[in-house]
Amino acid sequence: MTATASDAPAIAHFRFFALEVLRTRRLGHSFLRVTFGGESLADFRSGGYDQSLSLFLPPPGREHAVLPSTDEDTWFAAWRGMPDEERPVMRSYTVREQRRTSEGVDEVDIDFVLHGDPAAAAADVAGPASYWAGRAVTGRRILAIGPAVAENKSVRFQPPAATDAIWMYADETALPAAAAILDRLPAGTRVRAWFEVPHEDDRLALSTLAEADITWIVRESAGRERTEQVLGALRATDASTGGPAAEAPYVWLAGEAGTIRAVRRHFVQERSIDRRAVRFTGYWRLGASEEELLAEAYAGKAPSEDPASAL
Ligand SMILES: Cc1cc2nc3c(=O)[nH]c(=O)nc-3n(C[C@H](O)[C@H](O)[C@H](O)COP(=O)(O)OP(=O)(O)OC[C@H]3O[C@@H](n4cnc5c(N)ncnc54)[C@H](O)[C@@H]3O)c2cc1C
């Protein structure tokens, strides 16, 4: 596929940020929190909830990610035109939290799922982002296209005003987004959530003021059978958190694309939820790297303003 400047996702509400690893912390069996700093973060404006951003990570064998241009109009063609061995790897992640510390330092947390073989000798075995995160040390620098305004299209969680309950399904890649949504929901919000994780130790402690009823699904199989396990857990539970039945639920689904399709069908067909009240996003697809998904997306439709939404 030949890239031209006109293929470039416009970044009106987004801009480049230079991020530097400040520290890392293991949160659970599969999760590593990387806390980033950097002077440009003073202009970073996360909209919270499931705010996502695009990271540019060093290609295998390189220490830092370098782009020939970070200009809004030319970066995409310049990035696509780089030799494979030099081109930074673009990946979508969630802003788990943005804060300014009492010392005035701007920080952003991103929770990476470490998938694949953690001892793999090469990035292509584990996936370049997982591989990079597993080896992140203080001082490592990457680039990101992130929000410059809080109201932006990479916040997908947009419940209508009349919503009387939130129903959520997330796998581990979407747990950081689900956790950030729960962080923000006001007291009294009724939430029914199903969170699928690979390991017992990934059942993270989540804080919320909402009345949240959470079912953890610890995965028994890494293959397609996982979808059946999730559907089984959904079918076995009532969504009305012990209170009256919700009349206007808003359903937010994010995770592996095949499972998300099946879970969406479950809500629309088996629970008769209005499809317009279901916000669903495939965060990754079993057997396909993000490059492959982006290539499909660019071949099939015009890229949107939000690079991550190409998925
Ligand atoms: C909007 C959005 C927000 C996201 N937020 C987060 C986040 O906060 N944290 C996070 O960890 N991920 C998040 N993801 C998912 C993440 O972008 C993908 O998992 C991505 O593929 C990881 O890149 P990689 O280089 O490690 O693997 P890739 O090179 O993209 O894939 C290599 C292989 O690994 C497989 N694979 C990819 N991810 C996983 C996984 N988690 N488990 C098992 N196999 C996998 C692929 O199917 C492929 O076969 C988000 C995705 C989107 C679209």
Side-chain angles (χ1 to χ4, degrees):
M1 194 169 102
T2 319
T4 66
S6 62
D7 290 332
I11 52 174
H13 289 165
F14 303 92
R15 49 157 283 194
F16 275 96
F17 294 90
L19 306 181
E20 185 171 332
V21 176
L22 298 179
R23 59 189 174 274
T24 65
R25 181 160 73 91
R26 196 73 181 226
L27 301 179
H29 182 265
S30 311
F31 293 101
L32 183 86
R33 172 161 300 167
V34 181
T35 299
F36 295 95
E39 281 177 19
S40 62
L41 284 180
D43 298 323
F44 193 90
R45 298 281 180 274
S46 174
Y49 300 110
D50 56 349
Q51 174 77 66
S52 62
L53 79 178
S54 294
L55 300 182
F56 294 82
L57 302 159
R62 305 286 167 118
E63 203 160 302
H64 301 297
V66 180
L67 285 174
S69 163
T70 53
D71 176 82
E72 185 179 331
D73 297 323
T74 57
W75 75 267
F76 188 69
W79 172 71
R80 292 287 294 269
M82 293 175 81
D84 288 352
E85 63 280 9
E86 289 175 21
R87 187 186 312 113
V89 177
M90 182 164 71
R91 291 288 182 269
S92 304
Y93 278 83
T94 302
V95 179
R96 175 63 185 85
E97 190 176 290
Q98 176 188 6
R99 65 185 162 269
R100 178 165 288 175
T101 66
S102 48
E103 292 83 38
V105 180
D106 291 297
E107 296 185 348
V108 163
D109 289 336
I110 298 181
D111 293 350
F112 289 81
V113 173
L114 301 179
H115 65 90
D117 176 3
D124 55 357
V125 180
S130 173
Y131 182 85
W132 178 85
R135 286 156 186 76
V137 290
T138 304
R140 285 279 153 87
R141 290 194 298 275
I142 62 169
L143 294 165
I145 294 180
V149 293
E151 273 189 34
N152 63 74
K153 288 184 175 172
S154 295
V155 179
R156 296 170 181 77
F157 181 83
Q158 304 279 356
T163 301
D164 63 355
I166 308 284
W167 296 350
M168 312 168 85
Y169 158 79
D171 75 5
E172 67 274 28
T173 63
L175 191 58
I181 290 170
L182 286 172
D183 268 354
R184 278 227 170 181
L185 289 176
T189 312
R190 291 168 65 198
V191 178
R192 188 71 183 83
W194 293 265
F195 295 148
E196 177 199 356
V197 288
H199 198 274
E200 292 275 337
D201 277 357
D202 294 325
R203 295 177 302 168
L204 305 181
L206 303 171
S207 65
T208 185
L209 295 173
E211 284 170 29
D213 188 355
I214 297 173
T215 298
W216 290 97
I217 305 166
V218 179
R219 190 177 304 140
E220 287 159 7
S221 154
R224 265 287 151 242
E225 309 77 34
R226 55 191 287 169
T227 303
E228 285 311 310
Q229 190 189 349
V230 170
L231 291 174
L234 286 166
R235 289 178 182 133
T237 40
D238 180 8
S240 58
T241 57
E247 286 179 9
Y250 176 75
V251 184
W252 178 90
L253 315 172
E256 195 280 324
T259 304
I260 290 301
R261 262 197 307 278
V263 171
R264 175 174 179 258
R265 246 192 329 266
H266 165 82
F267 280 103
V268 172
Q269 293 178 2
E270 295 178 36
R271 292 189 192 244
S272 303
I273 302 298
D274 180 347
R275 62 182 65 238
R276 288 166 303 183
V278 182
R279 187 72 205 239
F280 64 101
T281 314
Y283 271 22
W284 62 288
R285 195 202 296 161
L286 208 54
S289 71
E290 199 166 320
E291 276 86 30
E292 292 167 315
L293 296 173
L294 282 170
E296 278 177 24
Y298 290 144
K301 66 174 169 83
S304 78
E305 219 172 274
D306 165 15
S309 74
L311 296 175

